[in-house]
Amino acid sequence: MKLTVIGFRGGYPGPNEATSTYLLEKEDYKVVLDFGSGGLLKIQNYINVTEIDAVVLSHYHADHIADIGVLQHALLVEAQLGRITKSTPIYGHNENESEFNKLTDDYTEGVIYNPADKLHIGPFEITFLKTNHSVPCFGMRITDGKKTIVYTADTGYQKEWIDFSKNADLLIADANLYDDQKELDIGHMTSTQAAQIASEGNIETLLLSHLPQYGNNQDLVTEAQHIFNGKVFLAKEGLIWEGK
Ligand SMILES: [Zn+2]
Ligand SMILES: [Zn+2]
């Protein structure tokens, strides 16, 4: 399977950037994990919107869903042009009903996932973990039967991540904070907390994402490398991870 980072910024995008949006592909199946601000703009550098088979949302903060509305409009136009006939499923949790209801439109269909169950979409099996965040949010462990990706979505540190991430090939971790911001406790992790999970979870590759707009993001990598001996990457648009 192949993961392409489309949007990596936390909270809001900087100039010419997007917030949390990740394209995951296997064979011809394409699923988008979260669809943040600038996500639609950026994803068109890689695929056409008509190629999206499904979207899975971790939670309903704007930096993870901001472009759902414009995606719905793009699909409506594609339908009017006769390029699509079916609705695209958008999977979300139902702990915020009014937000969930917005996922259904002329050519999108909101589909509830039960975080206690495994979700099977295309070639992927997804398991969920409730994160430590200000609103209900679910991280995901995604496997194609060969390789495994864990996406923390938005979360403060919690020890549950270690078991949930165990032996994953790739950990896409919320690293919205620098090491010296540990005391902030705002539902996001520091670089070193993300690295702690990677280290204790025996992760192969750590991808630091949901990055802050300030400071030198490269410092996050340096800080993480003090704790974790595996590979560490800083998320950026177009970064590709491939697991075979
Ligand atoms: Zn966020
Ligand atoms: Zn959030």
Side-chain angles (χ1 to χ4, degrees), residues 33-126:
L33 309 177
D34 287 338
F35 219 110
S37 175
L40 185 75
L41 172 99
K42 291 293 188 184
I43 206 164
Q44 292 172 95
N45 290 327
Y46 305 90
I47 59 169
N48 191 290
V49 291
T50 56
E51 295 179 79
I52 298 171
D53 291 292
V55 177
V56 184
L57 301 174
S58 61
H59 68 308
Y60 300 115
H61 273 155
D63 58 324
H64 298 252
I65 57 162
D67 274 9
I68 290 291
V70 286
L71 170 67
Q72 288 168 333
H73 203 90
L75 292 172
L76 175 61
V77 171
E78 294 290 349
Q80 286 165 348
L81 295 171
R83 294 173 183 157
I84 55 166
T85 52
K86 284 192 298 190
S87 286
T88 302
I90 303 179
Y91 294 85
H93 70 69
N94 198 25
E95 293 194 22
N96 183 331
E97 210 174 330
S98 65
E99 289 292 346
F100 173 78
N101 289 340
K102 291 182 198 164
L103 305 182
T104 297
D105 196 60
D106 291 346
Y107 284 91
T108 60
E109 186 194 354
V111 183
I112 297 171
Y113 63 71
N114 177 355
D117 291 340
K118 288 185 192 318
L119 173 66
H120 292 95
I121 48 168
F124 303 114
E125 179 188 275
I126 306 181

Side-chain angles (χ1 to χ4, degrees), residues 126-150:
I126 306 181
T127 313
F128 297 94
L129 177 71
K130 192 160 207 175
T131 78
N132 168 8
H133 201 48
S134 55
V135 298
C137 176
F138 295 92
M140 303 168 205
R141 182 180 175 100
I142 306 165
T143 182
D144 66 350
K146 289 184 184 155
K147 296 286 176 176
T148 300
I149 293 175
V150 171

